[in-house]
Amino acid sequence: MKSPLYELRFGGEDSKVFLKRYFTGKIIFNAGILAALLLLAVAPGLNAKETLTRKVIVFILDNISLRDLKGEGLVNFNMMIDNGSLGLMNARTGALLSSNRASAYLTIGMGVRTEVPDQETAVINKNKSGPLYMIEYPDAENLKKLVIDDYPNYVLGKIGQVAKQNGVKIALVGNSDTDRPMPHASLLAMDEKGNIPTGNTSRELLLKDPVFPWGYRTNPSRLLDEALKALTISDVVFIDFGDTARLEEAAKRKQISNHELSDFKAQSLKTADSFLGELFKKTAGSDLVLMVISPAPSSHDISAGNKTLTPVLIYEAGKPAGVLTSMTTRRSGLVANIDIGPTIFYKLGLNEEEFNFLGERITTVPDESNYETVAGNLSGYIAVKRSRYVVHGMYVLLLTLTLVPYFLNRLKGSLFPDGRAERVVSVMVLALPAASYIIPGVLKNRYPYLELFLIALVTVIIGVVLSVSKKRAFSGMAFLSLLTWLTLITYLLTRSGVLLMTPLGFNDVFTGGRYYGINNDSMGILLGATVFSLFYYLEMLKLNRIIRLMSALLVLGLVLLSQTPGFGANVGGSIAAMTIGVVGLAALISGQPIKKGKVLLVVAVVFAVEVFIAYLDSLFGQQTHAGKIFAALMSQDFGGKFMEILKSKLTLFGIMLLVPPWNLLLAGQVMVYYIITKRYSNLLQDINLRLPVLSRSFEVILIGGLVAFAFNDTGVIATGLMFTYMTMPLGLLLQGQKKGS
């Protein structure tokens, strides 16, 4: 007889049947749970897309300037600026002096500055599957052959390849064609085979317009439909708006005037602004990142002095306003075109560091006045660039006025002219750097033309005042060198950034070879001024040997610290500073002329130490150029990467060696020194007897200059400026001396 309890627990069924069903069900249930857990664990490895929760739109609005974004009636652009992050992007490509659209887009797509001929091959929209097409760039293999020789360690279509390998789907919509194909946007988005998984770049996206250049313009409603379709099935959508690029091409080929270009561009920007407004409405509530980029500069900006900097805008709803920066530039409000690729994947939540991009991710520095900050930066860059030309011109003029009489007078038997005019100019050569660093630092670049006037005025006054006698002129040179040293060391060790906005300290952000730290001009001046002023005051103060060595160790140690990569110096600067430090201390200890064999040994040891430092840096984040180069050499084909770097460095070195005026001035200073040592050795011996400590400074500067020349791609400038702290004081010491005296 069955009890009520039995019926309650087992539903009245036989216990064996119940237990059998119970355990069978439990096994099936547990197996299902286990399978689900395994699937969840494996899925991220099989398809990274499953982990993505946001989308990235890259809106390509080419050939625009920063002020274009602030045009009248651009409601959505202004909203994005006020609530997003704004910056300038260096759009420089591989060429030093010229560029084209193909190179601009391919540079972003490959993640390395690339220079290729302009591409006219029409992309193919094929294999329509669903609402959009697969896009193919048919000339990818030929393009790959063009870049493989120069960039064997980089991948054509880096952005597309990384996306494909990580399950990220990319789409491209839009058209920039004129009377010929303009497939440049595909160079940005395609993979290594020239393919983009989905999109639409056909002329279906255009409206006929007989008034607009080339007879048609972008159809914003159709472009929006295609973009929204792409957004539903893709993670990254590139939208090529097209019209501003068409206008730039028309202006370039003289189809429209500058006035017409301005009018048409204003109309196109309003259309683009309305397009973005509709896009925001259709995607409201989505986790979306919108990047507005201009891969190539505006011709109007180029004529105004801005050769390569274009606006870049990143908007994420709910994020504070700010200015953009990256570890590539280390400058607030400035990024590089090679930073776009890693930033896309960073915004998607992926670890962009694993993908070996040369660029760095773009981040935001909070700033509610972002437009004013970035616009002020741009004005400052242009002003300092122009000031740099003027100050360099003054430097060249002064050196020429000094060196020419030296050559002429040696033919008369008098080595250097014995006149106040020559002393004035010689002193001015060393006064100009001091004025160029201090005056802009005081006035903070608020009055660039006043700064230039004051630099010139102060330089002339110092030259006149200190040239009353030979003794005053020489002590004045030493004091000016000391002042220059103190100013540069303070700027560098405090990381004030003032140096970067002085005419001789400006790292040219337009060429973009180096954005931060000390440039080769200032490096040469710093090393030359340090050695001359240090040895002069050690000579004059008559310190005992221990204090003298401790003082030298402190001064040279500070210089060496300032020339380490951590403070933004380049590898060549570090090697030159370390060599000068070792050779300088050895010269003070021995008091004898420095032997060539020992110098070569010192340079070899210093180079080995620098390589070791670069190795350590590569292990701890690769924060410097040296660390990045070392990491690249170790992680890529060593021989190919080494030859790539060597070719790049030698190319720039060759350009600097052939392009005047610094090559001629350096050659002139070397010739003067050669004449002195070969024909007037008795005069040098006399100086050595009277000033044994100071005499060693000229040898140290000579050695340091040669090392800087050998290890810097722009070493011509560094060495030429360093040698002025040897030739000017030495010329003054020998002023009026006869060959036989």
Side-chain angles (χ1 to χ4, degrees), residues 413 679-680 682-683 737-741:
R679 299 189 181 184
Y680 303 92
N682 60 315
L683 300 179
Q737 298 294 315
K738 301 293 183 180
K739 184 175 181 180
S741 60

Side-chain angles (χ1 to χ4, degrees), residues 172-176 185 200-202 205 223 226 238-242:
L172 168 65
V173 295
N175 184 297
S176 295
N200 186 354
T201 63
S202 70
L205 306 178
L223 181 65
E226 298 300 289
F238 293 91
I239 302 176
D240 183 11
F241 185 70

Side-chain angles (χ1 to χ4, degrees), residues 171-454:
L172 168 65
V173 295
N175 184 297
S176 295
D177 291 351
T178 57
D179 60 340
R180 59 187 183 186
M182 299 271 281
H184 305 101
S186 60
L187 301 176
L188 193 158
M190 69 187 187
D191 64 18
E192 75 281 8
K193 294 182 179 179
N195 296 326
I196 302 171
T198 187
N200 186 354
T201 63
S202 70
R203 298 209 172 193
E204 302 169 357
L205 306 178
L206 303 179
L207 281 174
K208 289 185 178 180
D209 186 343
V211 178
F212 202 83
W214 315 112
Y216 43 79
R217 56 183 174 82
T218 293
N219 184 336
S221 60
R222 182 63 191 274
L223 181 65
L224 180 61
D225 289 341
E226 298 300 289
L228 292 173
K229 291 175 186 176
L231 201 58
T232 61
I233 57 177
S234 304
D235 305 297
V236 182
V237 178
F238 293 91
I239 302 176
D240 183 11
F241 185 70
D243 281 350
T244 51
R246 272 186 277 273
L247 291 172
E248 190 73 20
E249 187 71 10
K252 178 182 175 182
R253 291 199 258 159
K254 309 298 182 183
Q255 301 292 322
I256 56 176
S257 65
N258 288 335
H259 178 72
E260 290 173 313
L261 173 62
S262 297
D263 289 343
F264 279 127
K265 182 180 282 189
Q267 296 173 24
S268 297
L269 287 168
K270 287 181 180 178
T271 304
D273 188 78
S274 299
F275 173 89
L276 290 176
E278 291 300 314
L279 180 65
F280 285 136
K281 290 179 184 177
K282 299 290 186 180
T283 59
S286 302
D287 188 4
L288 190 67
V289 178
L290 177 61
M291 302 173 63
V292 179
I293 65 171
S294 182
S298 161
S299 58
H300 171 79
D301 251 23
I302 292 174
S303 63
N306 175 17
K307 298 182 181 300
T308 55
L309 304 183
T310 65
V312 57
L313 181 57
I314 300 180
Y315 176 75
E316 299 175 69
K319 294 292 181 68
V323 294
L324 299 172
T325 187
S326 76
M327 286 301 294
T328 302
T329 66
R330 303 190 195 185
R331 282 182 183 248
S332 178
L334 183 66
V335 300
N337 47 9
I338 58 175
D339 296 332
I340 296 297
T343 303
I344 290 172
F345 296 104
Y346 167 66
K347 293 296 184 182
L348 288 173
L350 301 178
N351 184 3
E352 81 287 353
E353 294 179 357
E354 296 180 358
F355 308 141
N356 294 319
F357 278 99
L358 182 62
E360 305 278 356
R361 69 177 185 231
I362 298 171
T363 57
T364 298
V365 178
D367 186 342
E368 293 184 358
S369 303
N370 54 9
Y371 182 83
E372 289 73 19
T373 298
V374 175
N377 288 349
L378 179 57
S379 297
Y381 297 150
I382 293 173
V384 178
K385 174 83 169 180
R386 290 170 176 166
S387 298
R388 180 175 170 81
Y389 286 132
V390 175
V391 172
H392 265 189
M394 292 168 63
Y395 217 135
V396 168
L397 176 63
L398 292 173
L399 272 175
T400 303
L401 290 175
T402 307
L403 292 175
V404 169
Y406 290 173
F407 278 117
L408 294 178
N409 277 268
R410 76 177 178 83
L411 300 176
K412 302 176 185 177
S414 175
L415 185 60
F416 291 99
D418 187 12
R420 185 174 180 184
E422 288 74 19
R423 290 200 298 271
V424 169
V425 179
S426 297
V427 172
M428 286 171 64
V429 171
L430 301 194
L432 182 61
S436 298
Y437 292 127
I438 294 172
I439 292 172
V442 173
L443 297 181
K444 306 294 185 185
N445 294 115
R446 290 190 292 265
Y447 313 102
Y449 295 109
L450 176 61
E451 288 176 7
L452 277 178
F453 173 74
L454 290 177

Side-chain angles (χ1 to χ4, degrees), residues 115-134:
E115 189 66 22
V116 294
D118 213 355
Q119 304 295 303
E120 295 185 15
T121 303
V123 295
I124 300 173
N125 290 260
K126 65 178 188 178
N127 301 336
K128 186 168 185 178
S129 175
L132 297 168
Y133 304 90
M134 186 189 85

Side-chain angles (χ1 to χ4, degrees), residues 690-705:
R690 290 187 291 113
L691 303 168
V693 177
L694 182 62
S695 296
R696 301 283 77 80
S697 71
F698 303 133
E699 296 179 62
V700 175
I701 290 174
L702 177 67
I703 293 167

